[in-house]
Amino acid sequence: MLARMLQSVVCRTLPISIPLLMVCFSACSGARDESDTTTREALQRAQDDLPFASAIFRATHNSYSGNVDGAKGPILTQLSNGVRFIELDLHDTNYDTVGDFTIGHNSPGDAVDHAGGNPASNSLRDWLVPIAQWSSQNPDHAPLLVMFDLKDNLTNNDSFAAGDFFALDAEVQSVFGGQRLLAKNATSSLPTIGASRGKVLTLLSGDGTARTGYKLDEGHHPAVAMNAHGQVVEVHDSGAGWLWYWTGTLGTDGHVIWRRHGRYDTGQTPAVALNDNGWLVEVHQSQAAGTLWYHVGHLGADGEITWSDSHEYDNGILPTVQFVDAAGTTLREIHRSQAHDQNWDWHGVLDTSARTVGWNASTHGKTSDARYDSTVASSGPSNVHVWTGADGNAPSDTLLYGTNRVVSERIRYPQWAFVEYQPGDSAELQSGAWFYAAPSTNSDFIVSARQNGRVVRGWDFDNASLATNPLANYPATNFPYSDWYGALMDQAVPVE
C-alpha cells in the first residue's frame, strides 16, 4: 500500500519532461489494483504543467479518409481512441454556389470515407459539427488541433461570398465558438496542456500562397476613410490592374478589427470617402487611358460593401475625394491633369437612392488647392494612416496601418488560425510559426525543429523506423491502431 501511495505521489509531483512522464506513466500503470480512472486522473494532472511543445499527441494523416486510405476508422472513433490531431483537406470549389468548402484529397470527395458514422456529404460544416460536439462532450480533452490542408488558394477569391478566409473563419467560429484557442492570443508563447484542455486549435497548411496571404496583404497606393462610428474602409490597387478593399472597425485599443476583404473593379490610385451612415464614394483612374471613374457603395453592419456600377466622370490622374459637409452628402474631388501638374476639382452631391453622384459642371475647374491626403482619415481624436512598406520578412509592398494609439500593424485577416511552416517555405512563413511539419522521412528537419521548441508534425508516419529522438509531437499516421504505433505511444505517453 505504501509503495502504491508513493507511486501516486510521484505521478503528481515529478518535474515534467518526456522521460519523467514515461517513468510516471510506468509507475502509475504498475498500480493496477487502483482504478484506471484514478490512474488516468493522476497522469492528467502530471501532464497539465507540460509545455505544449513538449507534449506528444496521437495524430492521423488525412483523417477524413478513414479506411479508404489506411485503417483509421471514422473521425469520432479516432477522437475516442485518443487522436488529438485531425486533418481535413479543404477545397473552395464552387463555394459561391455550394455555400461551403468541401473535403477531399485531390478534389472534393476524393478518398473521403463516408462509412461508419462519418458525414454523408463532403461539406466542411458537416465534418466540423461532430468534432465540436465530441469536444463539448469531453471538456477535459487535451488540446485538439484541426488542420486545414488548403488545396486551393483562398486569397484569390474576391469576396466573402466567394469563399475567402473571412468566410472560412466565420464557419469555424459558428461551429466551435468559445471552444477555440486563437492564434492571435498566443503570440508570445503557447499555453500549457492544462491551460488548453477542452480547446480546439485550427491550423492552416497546404497552399503556400494562401498561407502567406493569410499573414499579409500586398498592394499599391493605399487610401483610407473613417467615419464617426469608427468604421474604416481601405482601398488600394494590386499594381497589376485590380482594385481591392478592406473594411473594419477601430477598436478602443487603437487596433483596427478587419472584417471584410474583396476585389471590386479594375484600375489604379483609388481614394475613398465615407459618411456616418455608411455611404461611401470611391474614385480611381483607369489602368491605361487616364480616365477617372467613381463608385457609390454602402457599408453594411457585417462589414460588407454593396457597390454600384462604376461611372466615368473626367480625364485625369491621382484622384482624391472627401465629404465636405456634416451631413455627408456634399463631396469635393481634386485630381491632377493627365498632361501637366495642374490640379482640377469637382463638387458633387451624393444621391443614395440612385447610387450616383451629381457632379456640378458649372463649378468644375482649375484649383490651386492641393489634392487631399488619401492616406489619412480622422474622426474626433482618432485617426488611421495607411501605407506600404517592409515588415520583418514581409516584402516592401506589404499593406500597413497605424492609428493614434498603434504605431504599425499589418492590414490582414485577424489571426484566428495558426499557420504551419514546412521545409522550403519562405522566411515569412517561418517567422513567428509555432507549428512545423515535414514528411516523416525528413528526420533532420523534425529533430531540429523539436530541439528548437517548435511543435512538429511528421506526416505519413507509417512504420516504427520513422521514429525520431525526440519524436515528432504529432506523428501523423494512417494506421493508428497498429501494434507498433500503440507500443510507441505507450512509451511516449501522449496527452489525451
Side-chain angles (χ1 to χ4, degrees), residues 25-363:
F25 180 79
S26 178
C28 290
S29 297
R32 289 302 182 186
D33 54 330
E34 302 290 339
S35 72
D36 289 342
T37 299
T38 301
T39 301
R40 180 177 293 275
E41 289 175 350
L43 177 59
Q44 179 174 310
R45 285 192 294 272
Q47 291 176 325
D48 277 351
D49 290 332
L50 193 64
F52 203 112
S54 296
I56 303 297
F57 306 83
R58 287 185 176 87
T60 51
H61 175 242
N62 291 345
S63 310
Y64 60 87
S65 66
N67 295 330
V68 170
D69 180 18
K72 297 176 281 285
I75 291 289
L76 292 181
T77 298
Q78 296 175 43
L79 292 171
S80 297
N81 282 280
V83 170
R84 297 295 176 263
F85 179 96
I86 298 294
E87 176 185 351
L88 300 175
D89 289 0
L90 185 146
H91 299 263
D92 63 8
T93 307
N94 298 324
Y95 182 96
D96 54 347
T97 56
V98 175
D100 199 357
F101 301 95
T102 47
I103 301 302
H105 190 50
N106 293 317
S107 60
D110 178 43
V112 177
D113 189 350
H114 296 291
N118 272 344
S121 81
N122 300 317
S123 295
L124 174 63
R125 179 178 292 275
D126 291 341
W127 286 79
L128 294 181
V129 167
I131 297 172
Q133 291 173 340
W134 181 91
S135 176
S136 295
Q137 294 162 4
N138 297 271
D140 294 328
H141 68 74
L144 172 60
L145 189 62
V146 177
M147 188 194 82
F148 300 123
D149 188 344
L150 304 173
K151 297 301 184 180
D152 301 310
N153 177 16
L154 273 59
T155 61
N156 62 14
N157 296 333
D158 59 12
S159 67
F160 184 98
D164 63 8
F165 277 117
F166 278 119
L168 176 60
D169 178 71
E171 180 162 329
V172 174
Q173 181 63 26
S174 70
V175 174
F176 290 108
Q179 295 167 261
R180 297 177 75 186
L181 194 162
L182 303 179
K184 66 179 184 178
N185 296 331
T187 55
S188 59
S189 65
L190 292 172
T192 62
I193 295 302
S196 52
R197 284 197 178 276
K199 294 297 185 180
V200 177
L201 293 72
T202 48
L203 176 66
L204 302 180
S205 183
D207 189 278
T209 301
R211 282 182 287 143
T212 301
Y214 182 74
K215 295 186 65 178
L216 60 88
D217 192 17
E218 297 175 72
H220 300 265
H221 309 111
V224 69
M226 178 173 63
N227 64 20
H229 304 299
Q231 293 177 300
V232 177
V233 175
E234 183 274 345
V235 292
H236 62 273
D237 68 65
S238 67
W242 294 108
L243 294 171
W244 290 80
Y245 68 91
W246 287 89
T247 71
T249 304
L250 181 63
T252 56
D253 62 356
H255 290 84
V256 176
I257 303 168
W258 300 105
R259 305 181 63 195
R260 288 291 188 272
H261 176 45
R263 184 171 62 190
Y264 64 95
D265 204 346
T266 59
Q268 59 182 321
T269 64
V272 64
L274 175 68
N275 72 18
D276 291 345
N277 293 316
W279 288 99
L280 61 93
V281 174
E282 179 272 351
V283 294
H284 63 272
Q285 71 182 69
S286 61
Q287 182 65 15
T291 53
L292 297 178
W293 300 74
Y294 80 91
H295 288 271
V296 172
H298 188 261
L299 178 60
D302 60 357
E304 192 58 85
I305 297 176
T306 304
W307 296 95
S308 72
D309 293 334
S310 61
H311 302 275
E312 184 178 355
Y313 67 96
D314 202 354
N315 294 319
I317 61 172
L318 303 175
T320 63
V321 65
Q322 283 192 5
F323 285 105
V324 293
D325 67 331
T329 57
T330 304
L331 296 143
R332 187 184 185 200
E333 185 273 348
I334 307 176
H335 64 271
R336 184 183 299 170
S337 166
Q338 72 272 28
H340 45 73
D341 291 338
Q342 177 64 53
N343 286 344
W344 293 72
D345 72 348
W346 285 94
H347 292 84
V349 176
L350 173 63
D351 183 341
T352 58
S353 297
R355 294 183 178 243
T356 58
V357 174
W359 300 107
N360 188 345
S362 66
T363 62

